[in-house]
Amino acid sequence: MEEISLKELGEYILSKILYVIAITLSVCCIGMFYLTVLQVPKYESSTSIILTGFTNVNKDNEAAISTNDLNINQKLLATYQEITKSKKVLEQVIRDLRLSYDVETLAKHISVTGVTDTEIIKITVTDENAELAYHIVKKIADVFSEEVKSIYNVSNVSILDTPSIATKASNMGIKRATVLSLGAGLVVAFVLVFIAYYFDTTIKNTSQIEARVDVPVLGSIPDYNNKNKKKKSKNKGGKK
């Protein structure tokens, strides 16, 4: 495999700058058309759950908050995120809302993340139906809270932010479409130019000849046709 000269590659790209611009604009237009017209709009609805102090919910109804609640909650944070998307929770959501989704499909619509350095879990549901996304995320929060009580026999979960019905699609927008399309266009343009450069076997200067045949170049024949053309263009430009 031949070594690639970054200098030669840069010069080659500059010589093909019009092609780069044309390809970039073409891909950008196609991308924007897809992202703003053809793409199916999707809506997000989110809720935040905060882990509070442990309140015992045993038969004696004794309430007690441990001084180690903070450390325990931090350790349970990852476990709670997994419970949120567990099969048991999602099956209950599907039954209660009479969804047509199976567990695997519904799980793909759900994002569960822990807010860094906090005891907050954010649940986000994405769906083509804004109202359905709202009902799903609300039901997940309710079922999850009950499931925690059932598993750990404690109640340390509280709703921090209630969900709402989205009015705008999360995957659409002029700014977003422009940035993504422009970025894709530049990548495609440079990849194509690089491929053209890599497979271009023509000799462009004397240094390439010396590198390939390992002998010095004693002289070169100038292209007088190009020189004459340049002179003519200068003379025409100088006439009034």
Side-chain angles (χ1 to χ4, degrees):
M1 184 177 180
E2 294 184 7
E3 293 184 1
I4 296 175
S5 170
L6 295 179
K7 181 181 178 181
E8 289 181 4
L9 178 59
E11 292 174 350
Y12 186 83
I13 291 175
L14 287 176
S15 69
K16 304 294 182 182
I17 192 65
L18 293 179
Y19 291 101
V20 172
I21 294 173
I23 295 171
T24 301
L25 292 178
S26 298
V27 175
C28 184
C29 291
I30 294 172
M32 289 188 65
F33 179 76
Y34 172 78
L35 292 173
T36 58
V37 178
L38 299 181
Q39 184 176 229
V40 178
K42 293 185 179 181
Y43 301 87
E44 289 184 356
S45 186
S46 302
T47 185
S48 295
I49 295 174
I50 186 170
L51 277 59
T52 60
F54 285 88
T55 303
N56 200 330
V57 290
N58 58 26
K59 295 180 180 179
D60 298 327
N61 292 322
E62 295 178 353
I65 299 177
S66 171
T67 56
N68 295 321
D69 284 351
L70 181 62
N71 292 330
I72 295 174
N73 283 341
Q74 286 291 336
K75 293 179 180 179
L76 285 174
L77 198 62
T79 303
Y80 279 9
Q81 290 180 56
E82 292 301 316
I83 293 175
T84 304
K85 293 183 68 173
S86 66
K87 185 176 180 181
K88 190 173 183 180
V89 170
L90 298 188
E91 283 180 342
Q92 183 65 43
V93 172
I94 291 171
R95 284 196 299 270
D96 291 351
L97 297 179
R98 298 179 181 179
L99 302 176
S100 59
Y101 299 140
D102 55 26
V103 172
E104 290 75 17
T105 303
L106 180 58
K108 294 177 181 178
H109 290 243
I110 303 168
S111 171
V112 182
T113 56
V115 180
T116 306
D117 297 329
T118 69
E119 298 176 345
I120 298 174
I121 298 174
K122 185 176 181 180
I123 306 171
T124 302
V125 173
T126 305
D127 197 90
E128 296 175 11
N129 186 315
E131 189 172 350
L132 183 59
Y134 161 77
H135 287 298
I136 291 174
V137 75
K138 187 174 183 297
K139 177 58 67 174
I140 288 174
D142 293 339
V143 175
F144 164 73
S145 299
E146 293 301 320
E147 194 62 30
V148 168
K149 292 179 183 179
S150 174
I151 294 174
Y152 292 101
N153 197 36
V154 294
S155 178
N156 70 326
V157 174
S158 179
I159 304 297
L160 182 63
D161 294 321
T162 56
S164 59
I165 300 175
T167 56
K168 294 182 179 180
S170 60
N171 63 334
M172 302 183 80
I174 297 298
K175 289 184 179 179
R176 179 178 178 274
T178 302
V179 172
L180 291 177
S181 300
L182 187 59
L186 287 171
V187 170
V188 171
F190 281 110
V191 167
L192 291 178
V193 172
F194 174 80
I195 292 173
Y197 166 80
Y198 186 79
F199 289 101
D200 187 357
T201 57
T202 58
I203 302 297
K204 300 173 184 64
N205 51 56
T206 56
S207 61
Q208 290 182 344
I209 297 175
E210 293 176 345
R212 295 192 182 190
V213 300
D214 197 24
V215 293
V217 176
L218 299 178
S220 61
I221 301 174
D223 189 348
Y224 287 104
N225 290 329
N226 286 337
K227 287 187 175 182
N228 291 332
K229 288 179 181 178
K230 290 180 180 179
K231 286 181 179 179
K232 289 180 180 179
S233 63
K234 287 182 179 180
N235 291 332
K236 288 181 180 180
K239 292 180 180 180
K240 295 183 180 180

